[in-house]
Amino acid sequence: MASEEILVFTTIGDRDMAEEHISEMLEQGIITSGTIFPEVELVYMWDGKITVDTENKILLKAKADQYNAIEEYIMKKHPYIAPEIIKMDVSFGSPAYKAFIAEKIKKNS
């Protein structure tokens, strides 16, 4: 059985832009919340060389039925050519937290 909740991970270089994107998605009602992990290091191969960059990791919490809207938002607004978008089906943990999230979604709908 598929989960009703999802986590979506993405990254962006500019912290102010990360806050702006989260705020816009909240205003549109497509996410419940967003968390910014500032200045994480990305280590990867580029042109045969190990490269280290810094970026902001973003964790979005949402209802599963909002995934397409979230992906569309990221693809439209993100400055990267191919932004990272990782979706994970989840259950938001404890019954108290799950009830809290359900109430937040209800109020924001």
Side-chain angles (χ1 to χ4, degrees):
M1 179 175 151
S3 173
E4 293 181 27
E5 298 91 13
I6 58 172
L7 297 176
V8 178
F9 289 92
T10 190
T11 57
I12 197 163
D14 182 87
R15 181 177 173 95
D16 290 339
M17 189 177 290
E19 289 179 19
E20 178 182 319
H21 286 192
I22 289 170
S23 294
E24 287 179 2
M25 286 186 276
L26 284 166
E27 289 169 358
Q28 292 176 19
I30 61 175
I31 64 170
T32 305
S33 67
T35 302
I36 302 169
F37 298 92
E39 296 293 321
V40 296
E41 288 190 349
L42 173 65
V43 182
Y44 59 100
M45 294 294 288
W46 188 259
D47 290 334
K49 295 180 183 173
I50 294 176
T51 303
V52 180
D53 281 328
T54 58
E55 58 189 4
N56 297 278
K57 177 70 78 177
I58 302 170
L59 170 64
L60 306 170
K61 296 175 188 165
K63 295 294 285 178
D65 63 359
Q66 293 297 320
Y67 175 74
N68 289 338
I70 294 166
E71 181 179 337
E72 182 179 320
Y73 178 93
I74 293 170
M75 294 303 293
K76 181 178 178 184
K77 298 277 193 160
H78 206 287
Y80 296 177
I81 294 168
E84 171 186 274
I85 305 173
I86 299 173
K87 176 187 139 200
M88 296 175 60
D89 293 326
V90 297
S91 175
F92 282 149
S94 72
Y97 186 69
K98 200 168 173 108
F100 172 78
I101 292 295
E103 185 63 26
K104 291 278 290 174
I105 290 168
K106 190 169 127 182
K107 284 182 181 177
N108 293 334
S109 294

